[in-house]
């Protein structure tokens, strides 16, 4: 089997889940496992969280919700953060007892047509100007007319990872005002991972961490003591001696200065290894840092291993404990979310 592997530490996942529970006080932790658990592999992640007593999960849509229901069985709540897109999603929500988050009256109508009489959340906008009801009271009334139980309101912070940004306090105040008018029993949810790290006093009833579960610190300077869940690794297929003046990989973008050893490694952009790492990334073998040279190919990348004792058949890692995915993201001027969700299905997710 092709040795391109995302090794998943369930021990670290459990640790992170408990850190988040503790940080969130009495609020319930709704584990955000959309997009294949941020690329980590839902079929490993969700059962492990369940074993840790997590009973509330969020995915993006009904398709992901059905997959999760089939994995975990009946006694978990599965929230669809993107609500329902059409009648088919509404039908699945009834059949698999899913809990959509609604923003529009047409979504409530879709649900009613399919005989949905269970619970939903309302998404309210408090300043991010992404999805959110324009008139949540009207939507709430409509749901009640349809016998749909409105279990709570949720909103999302635009700048949670920048705690000093004034929008955080503005959004919090707007949300607090909405919450103060809620009937008894209705729940409120505002915070994602960065929100939990930065303003845990605003946990309300339910928090919705994604990133932090996977051991990625949402804020550099406010560590929560999380542990990385994914180690991305691959195997050295061959070690080549390359002579001065020769070039490496497509486009001959790297010219060899002095004779060197080059490791050919079984991971490329077809696996989700960013092509932007060409000539600027690195991989790690024990304490050795092996610079990435030449262009990343679809199935391979190339490393300068002149100063390392690494042998063909050994593994290197691209991110994990030794070099976090956040560091790689920073080097690439992106965010860790894009890197882990970019890991392709052909990369094997296996228990560490
Ligand atoms: C509505 C909502 N809640 C919670 C989350 C989880 O955010 P994070 O991964 O930053 O914790 C997301 C992520 O995209 C989201 O869209």
């Amino acid at each position: 089997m092709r040795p391109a592997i995302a090794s998943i530490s369930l021990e670290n996942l459990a640790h992170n889940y408990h850190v988040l529970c503790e940080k969130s006080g009495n609020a319930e932790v709704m584990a955000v496992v959309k997009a294949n658990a941020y690329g980590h592999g839902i079929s490993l992640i969700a059962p492990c969280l369940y074993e840790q007593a997590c009973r509330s999960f969020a995915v993006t849509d009904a398709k992901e919700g059905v997959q999760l229901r089939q994995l975990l069985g009946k006694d978990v709540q599965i929230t669809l953060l993107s609500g329902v897109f059409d009648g088919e999603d509404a039908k699945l929500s009834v059949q698999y007892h899913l809990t959509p988050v609604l923003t529009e009256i047409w979504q409530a109508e879709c649900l009613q047509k399919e005989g949905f009489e269970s619970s939903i959340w309302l998404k309210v906008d408090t300043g991010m100007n992404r999805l959110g009801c324009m008139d949540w009271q009207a939507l709430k009334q409509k749901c009640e007319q349809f016998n749909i139980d409105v279990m709570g309101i949720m909103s999302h912070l635009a700048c949670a990872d920048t705690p000093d940004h004034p929008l955080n306090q503005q959004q919090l105040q707007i949300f607090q005002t909405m919450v103060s008018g809620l009937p008894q029993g209705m729940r409120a949810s505002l915070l994602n991972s960065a929100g939990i790290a930065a303003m845990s006093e605003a946990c309300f009833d339910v928090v919705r961490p994604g990133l932090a579960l996977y051991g990625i610190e949402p804020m550099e300077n406010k560590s929560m003591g999380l542990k990385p869940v994914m180690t991305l690794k691959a195997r050295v297929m061959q070690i080549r001696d390359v002579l001065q003046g020769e070039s490496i990989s497509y486009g001959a973008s790297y010219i060899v200065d002095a004779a060197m050893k080059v490791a050919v490694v079984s991971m490329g952009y077809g696996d989700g290894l960013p092509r932007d790492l060409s000539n600027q990334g690195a991989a790690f073998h024990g304490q050795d840092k092996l610079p990435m040279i030449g262009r990343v190919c679809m199935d391979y990348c190339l490393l300068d291993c002149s100063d390392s004792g690494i042998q063909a058949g050994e593994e290197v890692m691209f991110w994990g404990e030794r070099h976090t995915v956040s560091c790689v993201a920073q080097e690439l001027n992106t965010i860790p979310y894009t890197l882990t969700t970019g890991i392709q299905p052909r990369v094997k997710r296996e228990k560490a």
Side-chain angles (χ1 to χ4, degrees):
M1 189 189 293
R2 193 163 164 271
I5 291 161
S7 171
I8 302 298
S9 167
L10 298 180
E11 207 177 300
N12 289 0
L13 176 67
H15 165 85
N16 300 333
Y17 175 68
H18 293 297
V19 167
L20 289 162
C21 289
E22 206 164 295
K23 269 284 221 186
S24 311
N26 291 328
E28 180 178 42
V29 173
M30 181 189 282
V32 180
V33 294
K34 59 189 172 138
N36 196 24
Y38 287 38
H40 290 66
I42 188 78
S43 53
L44 286 174
I45 298 294
C48 168
L49 290 170
Y50 184 89
E51 266 178 41
Q52 300 307 312
C54 178
R55 293 292 179 271
S56 175
F57 293 83
V59 292
T60 200
D61 63 2
K63 187 169 176 228
E64 290 185 352
V66 169
Q67 186 192 12
L68 189 57
R69 179 67 74 209
Q70 286 167 341
L71 265 172
L72 294 185
K74 280 189 182 152
D75 68 330
V76 296
Q77 181 132 45
I78 298 176
T79 302
L80 311 181
L81 293 175
S82 296
V84 289
F85 292 96
D86 52 26
E88 181 61 25
D89 285 354
K91 213 179 276 178
L92 291 172
S93 298
V94 174
Q95 202 179 341
Y96 290 88
H97 200 63
L98 307 172
T99 306
V101 182
L102 304 191
T103 48
E104 291 288 334
I105 284 183
W106 66 260
Q107 294 178 303
E109 288 166 351
C110 248
L111 288 170
Q112 192 234 4
K113 261 193 210 138
E114 297 302 332
F116 183 97
E117 289 194 339
S118 175
S119 302
I120 56 107
W121 284 85
L122 296 180
K123 181 78 172 276
V124 295
D125 185 66
T126 49
M128 177 155 170
N129 280 313
R130 194 173 61 175
L131 281 180
C133 313
M134 304 307 269
D135 180 349
W136 67 276
Q137 301 280 15
L139 181 50
K140 180 168 166 287
Q141 258 180 18
K142 190 57 119 185
C143 288
E144 284 161 0
Q145 260 175 34
F146 290 162
N147 259 344
I148 293 173
D149 168 53
V150 180
M151 64 185 292
I153 62 172
M154 70 167 67
S155 193
H156 196 50
L157 296 174
C159 302
D161 55 357
T162 317
D164 294 336
H165 199 292
L167 192 51
N168 289 316
Q169 287 309 316
Q170 282 172 34
Q171 286 196 259
L172 176 57
Q173 267 173 22
I174 292 171
F175 192 65
Q176 237 152 6
T177 308
M178 291 175 172
V179 171
S180 64
L182 287 181
Q184 268 238 315
M186 263 181 72
R187 311 180 86 194
S189 173
L190 180 65
L191 301 185
N192 66 344
S193 300
I196 298 167
M199 45 203 286
S200 57
E201 70 285 357
C203 284
F204 294 96
D205 303 302
V206 177
V207 291
R208 310 185 309 270
L211 196 72
L213 279 174
Y214 309 106
I216 303 169
E217 296 284 354
M219 273 184 304
E220 249 171 80
N221 52 2
K222 207 151 189 209
S223 166
M224 289 197 275
L226 306 171
K227 297 182 180 177
V229 172
M230 181 193 290
T231 302
L232 185 68
K233 57 189 195 177
R235 193 187 296 161
V236 176
M237 307 302 293
Q238 192 180 41
I239 294 193
R240 315 181 58 85
D241 289 309
V242 182
L243 301 177
Q244 184 198 7
E246 290 185 352
S247 64
I248 306 285
S249 190
Y250 284 119
S253 65
Y254 185 93
I255 308 291
V256 174
D257 257 356
M260 63 160 55
K261 277 192 181 161
V262 175
V264 183
V265 175
S266 60
M267 182 162 294
Y269 64 78
D271 300 296
L273 187 71
R275 188 169 177 273
D276 285 352
L277 288 173
S278 300
N279 284 314
Q280 61 158 329
F284 298 83
H285 176 253
Q287 288 311 303
D288 296 340
K289 180 175 178 180
L290 313 177
M292 215 172 279
I293 52 175
R295 288 193 189 149
V296 173
C297 310
M298 190 182 291
D299 306 323
Y300 301 103
C301 65
L302 301 138
L303 305 173
D304 174 1
C305 63
S306 308
D307 298 328
S308 161
I310 194 167
Q311 304 288 316
E314 290 191 289
E315 279 180 346
V316 295
M317 76 103 185
F318 299 94
W319 61 68
E321 207 120 15
R322 162 88 163 78
H323 188 65
T324 64
V325 67
S326 298
C327 290
V328 179
Q330 226 165 29
E331 288 156 13
L332 292 173
N333 203 17
T334 184
I335 51 174
Y337 303 76
T338 64
L339 299 182
T340 62
T341 57
I343 298 302
Q344 296 299 300
R346 73 181 196 173
V347 173
K348 186 170 185 239
R349 275 76 171 169
E350 68 177 28
K351 270 191 218 174

